[in-house]
Amino acid sequence: MPETFPTKPEVPRPTMIDVARRAGVGLGTVSRVVNGGHGVRDETAQRVRAAIDDLGFQRNEVARALRPGKKSTSLALVLGDLTNPFYATIAKSSLEVAGQSGFAVVLGSVDEDPEGEKRAIQELVSRQVAGLMIVPDQGDHAFLQGAGVPVVFVDRPATGIDADIVMVDNEGGGKLATDHLLAQGHERIAIILAPSYYTIGRRLRGFRRAHRAAGIDVDESLVIQLPEGNAEAAEKATREVMLRPDPPTAIFASTNFLTEGVLRALGELGREPAVVGFDDFRLADMLPTPVTVVASDIAELGRSAARLLLDRASGADTRPPQRIVLPCGLIERGSGERPPDSAAKRKPR
């Protein structure tokens, strides 16, 4: 038999963020020292070099190959799971806009991992990209101060830094969905919520605003916060709430994945409350009762972010950080137009 040897666990490679922390300076300062830039005091540069030696940091070879003064024609996009159609649409549309201007887009997928996001951003900065588009996680993004490249946040704002943001009117969309259900005569509306990222919190805000405007109290037992933002969790929660003695007559699902779980549970139970989902999804219009949804132009989200970043990178836009909010609309298909008494009925199995 061939002889085998134990392997040592892989030690994470030090990053520029690690160097910045050790030296007590900003990420941009480390980038300038590593890449031979000017504008760093000798004392600070020495501190950075000492941190580099202590940590054994080695800069990225792609960045090493770039000649000083050469302008990058690459943008970076850092987002969540690319199997999610939402993120895939943002990536596709931003790639199209960048390509029309002769830019490539380097993708980083981190799936809501703050430390993974930091490492990905550090790596992209080391490649000297012309700018960053980021769908941020819930961590602190103050480390991006002084990164030396323009940053545009997509879908939700970041904390610790004042930067451009392109997002959907989540609060307005949440109110729109709830207003619609209230207009059908529903007063017991359940809202199924994914873990509280910024977008979901704003959709809940819109839900509450609609109730206040209608003079109807929110039943807090129908505000259902899921431990995980997936269809399985939504299916379980829907089954539980619909089997209560006083079930809701309508359900507002705060994401497309959750809507799928809601529909699966209702199909198993044979119940037909009104349902409105947030964000459209594939085949929603092909179901026996097509699904009413609040929808926004996700492709435009990616296009707007890419256009803004290109303008920032070229120097064409020097305004203070901008907040671009894209509107939502309601697509009425049938599930959201059911009257309250339909919830008590059982559809044929």
Side-chain angles (χ1 to χ4, degrees):
M1 292 181 63
E3 188 175 2
T4 59
F5 298 91
T7 58
K8 294 182 179 180
E10 184 178 348
V11 178
R13 188 176 68 178
T15 68
M16 284 173 54
I17 292 172
D18 297 323
V19 174
R21 286 174 179 162
R22 176 68 67 91
V25 299
L27 186 61
T29 300
V30 175
S31 179
R32 287 194 293 275
V33 172
V34 167
N35 293 297
H38 301 290
V40 180
R41 290 186 303 174
D42 288 343
E43 178 185 348
T44 303
Q46 288 173 11
R47 203 159 71 242
V48 171
R49 293 189 189 102
I52 288 171
D53 291 340
D54 290 345
L55 295 170
F57 169 79
Q58 293 182 335
R59 77 173 166 181
N60 186 275
E61 289 303 316
V62 175
R64 188 184 297 275
L66 289 174
R67 298 188 300 274
K70 181 180 179 181
K71 290 186 177 180
S72 172
T73 56
S74 294
L75 304 176
L77 173 59
V78 181
L79 36 63
D81 182 5
L82 277 171
T83 62
N84 184 330
F86 176 84
Y87 293 123
T89 301
I90 289 175
K92 183 175 184 294
S93 57
S94 60
L95 281 164
E96 289 171 354
V97 170
Q100 291 165 4
S101 297
F103 279 72
V105 176
V106 183
L107 293 177
S109 179
V110 294
D111 202 14
E112 311 297 351
D113 173 13
E115 288 305 314
E117 183 191 62
K118 285 184 181 181
R119 289 192 296 272
I121 291 171
Q122 179 274 327
E123 180 71 16
L124 292 165
V125 170
S126 77
R127 291 172 182 256
Q128 295 185 351
V129 293
L132 294 164
M133 287 177 285
I134 304 172
V135 180
D137 61 45
Q138 298 187 92
D140 186 357
H141 289 79
F143 70 92
L144 276 168
Q145 296 280 4
V149 294
V151 180
V152 174
F153 290 101
V154 186
D155 188 45
R156 49 189 184 247
T159 58
I161 183 172
D162 188 19
D164 293 311
I165 168 71
V166 181
M167 60 194 302
V168 168
D169 183 7
N170 290 287
E171 184 172 342
K175 185 174 184 300
L176 185 64
T178 312
D179 281 340
H180 184 68
L181 291 171
L182 290 167
Q184 311 305 311
H186 296 278
E187 295 190 2
R188 289 185 54 72
I189 306 171
I191 181 169
I192 311 292
L193 301 163
S196 297
Y197 298 120
Y198 175 90
T199 52
I200 303 302
R202 289 304 186 272
R203 291 170 194 179
L204 175 59
R205 225 187 215 182
F207 175 82
R208 294 188 183 282
R209 271 183 57 202
H211 278 82
R212 284 197 303 271
I216 297 173
D217 292 334
V218 172
D219 183 341
E220 295 300 330
S221 73
L222 298 179
V223 178
I224 301 169
Q225 183 73 61
L226 301 180
E228 297 177 305
N230 56 41
E232 291 74 21
E235 182 179 354
K236 180 176 183 291
T238 302
R239 191 179 298 112
E240 290 172 354
V241 76
M242 292 305 299
L243 291 175
R244 292 180 187 177
D246 55 346
T249 64
I251 298 176
F252 172 28
S254 63
T255 76
N256 50 8
F257 285 159
L258 303 192
T259 306
E260 293 175 22
V262 168
L263 296 174
R264 190 176 298 128
L266 295 177
E268 292 171 359
L269 295 171
R271 300 290 184 86
E272 291 189 323
V275 175
V276 175
F278 202 110
D279 287 335
D280 208 356
F281 60 97
R282 197 163 171 259
L283 302 181
D285 59 336
M286 301 293 290
L287 295 172
T289 301
V291 184
T292 297
V293 295
V294 172
S296 54
D297 191 343
I298 304 305
E300 183 57 28
L301 199 64
R303 287 191 292 266
S304 294
R307 286 193 291 261
L308 180 55
L309 187 60
L310 286 167
D311 286 345
R312 294 297 197 190
S314 69
D317 192 339
T318 59
R319 296 173 295 171
Q322 300 296 300
R323 185 185 184 90
I324 299 173
V325 181
L326 304 182
C328 294
L330 186 78
I331 304 175
E332 299 182 27
R333 293 191 178 123
S335 71
E337 292 67 58
R338 292 170 176 153
D341 61 1
S342 69
K345 299 175 182 175
R346 287 185 172 272
K347 59 185 177 182
R349 300 301 297 273

